[in-house]
Amino acid sequence: MTTSKRIRIFTTEDVASHKSAGSCWVVLRGKVHDVTLFIPDHPGGEDFILQNAGTNVENVMKDRDLHDHSDAAYDMLEEYVIGRLGTEATTVSGDWEATDDFKPEDTDSAEDFAKTQFLDLRQPLLWQVWKANFRLVKSYYLKQVHQPRHLKHSARLFGTEFPLRRMFTRTVWYVVPIVWLPIAINLFVRSMLQFAMPTPSFWDNPVYPLSKLSSLTLDMFINTLPFFFLGNLIWTLLEYGMHRFLFHIDELLPDKPVFLTLHFLLHGIHHYMPMDRLRLVMPPVLFALLQAPFTRLAYILFPTPVANGIISGSFTFYVIYDCMHYALHHTMLPAYMREMKKYHLAHHYKNFELGFGVTSKIWDYVFNTVLTL
C-alpha cells in the first residue's frame, strides 16, 4: 500500500454494502480491504471471494479445509487496504429505559478514545472534528456523534476560550429569557398599538411602546391575543420541523468535512454531550440567525400588527422551549414534564430518529414519529 492512500474509518454496514463483483470489500484483522480488482486473479476462484464479500474473512482465511492461504496472501492483501473498521460505542440502546433519577456515568476519556479513535475528550474538540472528518466516512461520524459521552465539566471546543468564542458556543440557560422575553413583550405591545394607531417601526424607535403604555386598552389586548396564540402554535411546528429536518439532516448531509463540522456545531455536539449544561440552550447569536428568515416571511405574509403578534407568541414559546429543554436534562420536574423528560432523553439514549418534540408530542403524533418508551 502506498503512503499516499488515506486511511479512513468505516462501519460494518459500510463494508456489508460492498459485496458484489463491481465493488467487493472484506475485513481482516480490523482493516478494510477493497479486493475488487483482485477478484479475477484469486487462485481459489471468484466465487470464493464473492461468497464472503462484505464480511470479516479472518476465520475463513485461517480454515485450511476451505482454502489454504500462505503468508504471502496476507502480505498481498495489504496492497488493498483502504481503511479500518471502527469500534462502536454502545451508549444508545433500543432497550434503554428512562428513570426519574437518570444520571449517566462519566465517560473514561482515555479509554473511549483508545477504543473508537473518534474524539479525545481531554483535548479541544473543534479542530479534532475537522481533522477527523478527513479520515472518517459520514456513517462512522454519525454513529459516533449519536453515542452520548459525559463529562463533569463542559467540553472545550477551542484551545483558547476567548469571550467571543464562548458567546457563540456556550450559554447559561437564563440568558435566553433575559434576551428574548423583552423583545417578545416589545413586539406584543407594538402589535397592540399598531391595531389602533400609526406606530414607528422597531428599528426606527425600539423603545416607542414604553412611551405608550398608558394608552393601552383591553380592546387592543384582545385584538393581539389570538395572533399571539397562533404564534405559540406556529413555534411548536417550527420546533419540530427544525429539529427533524435541519438538526437531524443526517441522511442528506454531504460526506464532506465542512458539512460534518457544521453538523457537529449545530446539533451534533448536543447529541455527543447531551448533559453539557452550557450547550442545552441556543446562543442568542445563533437563534437570531435562525429566526431571521421566518420573521421576514411573517412580515411578507401578514399585516405588520398581525405579524408582530405572531412573532411575539413564537418568541415567547421559544423561551419556554429552551428553558424546558434545559430542565428536561437537569432538574426534578412536575408530572407532565417528567413524562416529557423521559421522552426527550429517550430521543438521546434510545432512538435519535424518533421523538423530535420537546415541549409536546403533538407533531410527533401528526407525522408518525412518536417514540415509544
Side-chain angles (χ1 to χ4, degrees), residues 96 98-100 338-346 373:
W96 181 86
T99 59
D100 288 337
R338 281 202 302 273
E339 175 65 19
M340 289 307 298
K341 175 176 182 174
K342 293 178 181 179
Y343 188 72
H344 181 64
L345 290 180
L373 300 180

Side-chain angles (χ1 to χ4, degrees), residues 6-10 84 113 116-120 124-138 140-142 144 255-258 260-261 264 272:
R6 181 175 63 185
I7 298 298
R8 305 197 74 183
I9 301 178
F10 299 96
R84 69 178 185 81
F113 182 64
T116 66
Q117 292 294 299
F118 181 55
L119 299 177
D120 187 344
L125 297 180
L126 185 58
W127 183 239
Q128 289 188 76
V129 172
W130 176 257
K131 291 193 298 182
N133 286 333
F134 281 99
R135 61 183 175 83
L136 304 179
V137 292
K138 185 181 79 170
Y140 189 66
Y141 162 80
L142 290 174
Q144 288 299 320
D255 191 0
K256 302 292 183 182
V258 64
L260 299 185
T261 302
F264 185 79
Y272 190 61

Side-chain angles (χ1 to χ4, degrees), residues 299-317:
Y299 287 122
I300 292 173
L301 295 178
F302 303 105
T304 301
V306 173
N308 280 333
I310 291 173
I311 296 167
S312 68
S314 296
F315 281 7
T316 300
F317 231 68

Side-chain angles (χ1 to χ4, degrees), residues 182-247:
I183 295 174
I185 293 169
N186 183 300
L187 292 172
F188 186 90
V189 175
R190 189 174 293 275
S191 173
M192 292 171 61
L193 293 170
Q194 287 166 335
F195 274 113
M197 65 185 72
T199 306
S201 71
F202 179 87
W203 299 112
D204 289 336
N205 190 346
V207 298
Y208 178 78
L210 294 178
S211 66
K212 293 293 183 178
L213 292 178
S214 60
S215 303
L216 301 178
T217 66
L218 180 60
D219 286 343
M220 294 180 185
F221 179 78
I222 293 173
N223 285 336
T224 295
L225 194 60
F227 302 110
F228 177 84
F229 288 140
L230 177 59
N232 293 167
L233 180 63
I234 288 173
W235 168 259
T236 64
L237 182 58
L238 289 175
E239 166 197 320
Y240 176 89
M242 286 193 293
H243 192 182
R244 181 179 178 183
F245 298 111
L246 177 61
F247 298 159

